[in-house]
Amino acid sequence: MIVADAHRRRGVAKVDDLNPASNRAVTEYLSVLDDAAFGGATPVQPKVISPTDPAARYTAAADGPAVYAYSDNYLIDLKHAVIMDVEATTAVRQAEVGAAKMMIDRAADQLDVRPSRLVADAGYGAAEMLGWLVDERGIEPHVKVFDKSERTDETFSRSDFAYDPEGDLYVCPGGKELRKRRRRFSSLRSEVTKEGTNHLSRQSARLRGLRAEAQMLPEHAHAQNCAIRP
């Protein structure tokens, strides 16, 4: 993380409060609002924006007082301990994931280096990123899955279902197949609990409170299955 040269206690609430004529940093920030490394990385607006260096993100990622900062992202050849590429982004996970994709492709285009494996932390373990690695680039992910599907309300979690990569489907604890493109029900199914497994055949093992089967059968399920589970 690179701490920006901006006062940590000064900020404005929204982009409209910035004065485009105040300094060059504001002008440059406004010009890259749709850039994937900065404003376009996430639709979530920052809670506070520095009027001195607005592209920096207010974050406490360093386990200290919140500051305005950037992320410095590195692509490293672990076997030879060589930094292959560097890309700076705003300090938000989505921008860092985008930087990883950019550096992998840039290493292939400019250096003719195409990794067979990628080691990264759980911040890079979202389904979309894993799908990009496995299905589009043929890279084996040594990445912990970014998974919030475990449930504590006595209903089934995703880990209770076995994924079949050949059929691209899950098998529920009752032995029934859950396919991705099965019809949606007009009303939510409920009471699918670990104790009430006799309901599985009638309710297609839908999880209580989830609106769509896509929550149970995510995109890139095969790629998630290839990655490291927490």
Side-chain angles (χ1 to χ4, degrees):
M1 190 174 76
I2 303 172
V3 177
D5 186 13
H7 197 292
R8 58 181 295 268
R9 295 190 182 278
R10 293 177 183 169
V12 297
K14 55 185 184 297
V15 174
D16 292 342
D17 294 333
L18 294 171
N19 180 4
S22 61
N23 60 53
R24 188 180 69 180
V26 171
T27 303
E28 291 179 348
Y29 171 70
L30 294 175
S31 69
V32 297
L33 277 177
D34 295 327
D35 194 303
F38 296 99
T42 171
V44 179
Q45 297 297 316
K47 294 181 179 179
V48 62
I49 302 172
S50 168
T52 306
D53 191 352
R57 199 81 168 194
Y58 199 58
T59 177
D63 296 327
V67 294
Y68 293 104
Y70 294 91
S71 288
D72 45 340
N73 306 278
Y74 298 92
L75 182 67
I76 301 174
D77 182 338
L78 294 179
K79 183 176 181 180
H80 300 96
V82 174
I83 296 176
M84 305 291 291
D85 202 350
V86 181
E87 182 71 23
T89 66
T90 189
V92 62
R93 182 182 65 84
Q94 293 89 337
E96 295 169 13
V97 169
K101 293 181 178 181
M102 183 185 301
M103 291 188 292
I104 289 171
D105 284 345
R106 198 157 55 200
D109 294 339
Q110 299 180 3
L111 305 175
D112 197 26
V113 174
R114 294 171 175 79
S116 59
R117 296 181 296 275
L118 180 75
V119 178
D121 60 38
Y124 300 84
E128 188 274 335
M129 178 61 175
L130 295 175
W132 184 85
L133 289 170
V134 175
D135 300 327
E136 298 186 31
R137 295 299 182 271
I139 299 173
E140 178 183 322
H142 288 250
V143 182
K144 183 180 288 188
V145 175
F146 190 77
D147 187 4
K148 296 183 178 181
S149 66
E150 292 301 310
R151 300 171 69 86
T152 58
D153 58 357
E154 297 303 315
T155 58
F156 288 101
S157 299
R158 188 178 299 161
S159 59
D160 293 312
F161 297 74
Y163 178 67
D164 176 4
E166 292 185 3
D168 191 22
L169 54 84
Y170 279 89
V171 179
C172 76
K176 302 295 184 180
E177 294 183 349
L178 285 81
R179 299 181 180 276
K180 184 181 300 183
R181 294 173 179 83
R182 190 164 288 173
R183 71 178 178 88
R184 296 176 184 267
F185 292 94
S186 58
S187 60
L188 294 176
R189 274 27 184 189
S190 61
E191 303 305 324
V192 184
T193 64
K194 294 184 178 180
E195 291 76 14
T197 53
N198 58 309
H199 293 275
L200 288 173
S201 59
R202 295 176 54 235
Q203 299 186 2
S204 299
R206 289 291 297 275
L207 296 184
R208 183 171 60 211
L210 297 186
R211 296 185 59 189
E213 289 186 359
Q215 297 290 336
M216 191 61 229
L217 301 173
E219 294 293 332
H220 314 299
H222 170 64
Q224 288 182 301
N225 205 46
C226 293
I228 302 170
R229 286 286 174 182

